[in-house]
């Protein structure tokens, strides 16, 4: 919070923070008034959009004012610019964005607006728009804003989990372990991140593993109402999780629920090679019946001696409501362990000589990483996607 600050930028931020909803509403109303086609770029419900905008603005202002990691800020804004292409944002929109933002700040502050604030805010707007626009323009020369893909298979593994296979019109270039923002026809202009569960191939086939979160919009639609023939939009790949096959260190992977998807893609990619570091995968869920992909892992283990898998579940019994659709415990796997993933993984030791990849919900990743670090695992050995 910027309450005790005195620089014009931090004064501005603290006054905007006090009425951030009103300010962001002013901004979007102004933007849509001066550049009406921009309304089409946003979803009908704008609450989340407004919150995100304010978070980004506060982050930019604080980083600039405190002269914190400016290089990281530029990288962040460039990524944001590239990412906004999928919404249909064009270079010309950035000018309207800057004008509307300054107008909303000025209007929100009224008599408290000062020339010093105007100058400082203009710099923030200039930096933000220039970096975002130029990153977007550079990427536009290389990649489309998004790809179209057709749903070709939909398997409901439990009541709230589905495996969906799609085929993109042209193959999407990506690395195993990466994730994409995805838009489905049930929720136009709302994008969510999902990880590819198989490595890329030249037929454009992709697989996503989706858990419907309670009250979730996109995930519920993907699990409950996605159908053969639906057309999905898939944005540019993100993420940098990888296995170093040459450094001589073995690998520990920790997958919570659908967090299995990117780790499985990495494992499948490794199957192309005769020699690999040893990989031990802990794959955990709340209930045994939610371990929806043990069959695949069992097949991979059978033919790749460098791979071993320990299934983990917090509880021993499935509730009646789970609705699993197949027996998910193939004979011959390591014995399932009971407990949280963090507890089970740490009970085996410090893993300090391993490269470690953790993937799952934000809560699972945070809990697992913190417990492993407390248990003696060097934090720098652990990779995970942004939370
Ligand atoms: C890098 C990354 C990769 C991801 N990969 C996958 C993937 O492969 N498979 C997958 O199923 N999901 C994945 N997710 C999560 C996904 O992007 C969505 O957040 C999730 O599907 C919920 O979207 P929604 O629109 O249904 O819910 P929203 O409408 O966004 O949220 C509805 C409610 O659910 C809560 N909520 C949102 N996400 C979760 C969650 N994960 N657990 C519990 N509550 C939640 C929200 O706080 C809110 O209260 C990934 C997220 C990230 C950041």
């Amino acid at each position: 919070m910027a309450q005790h600050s005195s620089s014009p930028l931090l004064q501005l931020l603290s006054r905007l923070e006090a009425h951030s909803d009103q300010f962001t509403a002013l901004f979007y109303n102004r933007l849509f008034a001066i550049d009406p086609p921009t309304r089409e770029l946003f979803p009908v419900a704008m609450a989340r959009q407004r919150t995100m905008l304010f978070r980004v603005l506060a982050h930019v202002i604080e980083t600039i004012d405190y002269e914190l990691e400016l290089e990281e800020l530029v990288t962040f804004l460039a990524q944001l610019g590239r990412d906004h292409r999928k919404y249909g944002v064009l270079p010309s929109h950035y000018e309207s964005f800057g004008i509307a933002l300054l107008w909303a700040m000025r209007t929100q502050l009224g008599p408290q607006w000062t020339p010093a604030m105007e100058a400082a805010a203009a710099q923030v707007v200039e930096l933000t728009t220039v970096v975002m626009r130029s990153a977007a323009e550079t990427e536009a020369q290389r990649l489309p804003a998004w790809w179209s893909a057709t749903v070709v298979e939909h398997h409901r593994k439990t009541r709230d989990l589905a495996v969906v296979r799609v085929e993109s019109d042209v193959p999407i270039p990506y690395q195993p372990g990466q994730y994409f923002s995805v838009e489905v026809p049930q929720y136009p202009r709302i994008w969510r991140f999902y990880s590819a569960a198989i490595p890329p191939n030249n037929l454009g086939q992709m697989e996503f593993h989706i858990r419907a979160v309670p009250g979730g919009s996109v995930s519920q639609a993907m699990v409950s109402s996605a159908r053969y023939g639906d057309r999905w939009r898939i944005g540019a790949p993100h993420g940098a999780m990888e296995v170093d096959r040459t450094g001589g260190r073995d690998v520990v992977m920790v997958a919570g629920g659908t967090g299995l998807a990117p780790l499985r893609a990495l494992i499948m990619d490794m199957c192309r090679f005769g020699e690999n570091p040893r990989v031990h995968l802990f794959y955990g869920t709340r209930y045994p019946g939610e371990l929806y992909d043990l069959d695949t892992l069992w097949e991979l283990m059978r033919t790749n001696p460098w791979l071993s898998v320990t299934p983990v579940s917090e509880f021993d019994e499935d509730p009646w409501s789970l609705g699993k659709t197949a027996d998910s415990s193939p004979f011959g796997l390591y014995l399932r362990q009971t407990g949280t993933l963090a507890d089970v993984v740490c009970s085996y030791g410090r893993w300090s000589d391993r490269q470690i990849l953790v993937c799952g919900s934000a809560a699972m990743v945070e809990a697992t990483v913190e417990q492993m670090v407390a248990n003696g695992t060097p934090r720098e050995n652990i990779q995970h996607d942004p939370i």
Side-chain angles (χ1 to χ4, degrees), residues 42-84:
F42 295 94
V44 177
M46 291 288 291
R48 186 169 174 143
Q49 197 69 34
R50 294 214 298 258
T51 309
M52 296 302 281
L53 172 82
F54 197 78
R55 263 196 228 160
V56 169
L57 184 66
H59 175 61
V60 174
I61 289 180
E62 284 174 346
T63 309
I64 291 177
D65 199 79
Y66 293 128
E67 294 181 15
L68 297 171
E69 291 119 358
L70 288 171
E71 219 171 291
E72 273 179 34
L73 177 65
V74 171
T75 308
F76 166 74
L77 289 173
Q79 181 57 48
L80 206 60
R82 288 191 287 271
D83 205 40
H84 271 65

Side-chain angles (χ1 to χ4, degrees), residues 48 160-162 178-182 187 190-197 207-223 238-239 257-262 292 359-363 384-387:
R48 186 169 174 143
D160 65 359
L161 199 143
Q178 286 195 301
Y179 59 92
F180 302 83
S181 37
V182 177
Y187 284 96
I190 298 184
W191 296 75
R192 297 284 185 267
F193 291 123
Y194 296 95
S195 302
E207 181 174 306
F208 295 102
H209 296 179
I210 300 124
R211 188 175 78 82
V213 305
S217 40
V218 176
S219 62
Q220 292 278 357
M222 286 172 150
V223 171
H238 296 283
T258 55
L260 176 66
Y292 62 93
C359 197
S361 69
H384 59 80
D385 282 330
I387 294 173

Side-chain angles (χ1 to χ4, degrees), residues 336-379:
R336 179 176 54 77
Q337 307 286 305
T338 306
T340 65
L341 270 167
D343 283 343
V344 172
V345 171
C346 289
S347 72
Y348 282 73
R350 297 170 57 218
W351 302 112
S352 51
D353 56 344
R354 307 290 170 110
Q355 31 181 337
I356 294 156
L357 289 80
V358 182
C359 197
S361 69
M364 172 266 162
V365 172
E366 268 171 346
T368 306
V369 170
E370 287 317 313
Q371 200 165 321
M372 290 185 80
V373 170
N375 197 45
T377 311
R379 193 181 285 274

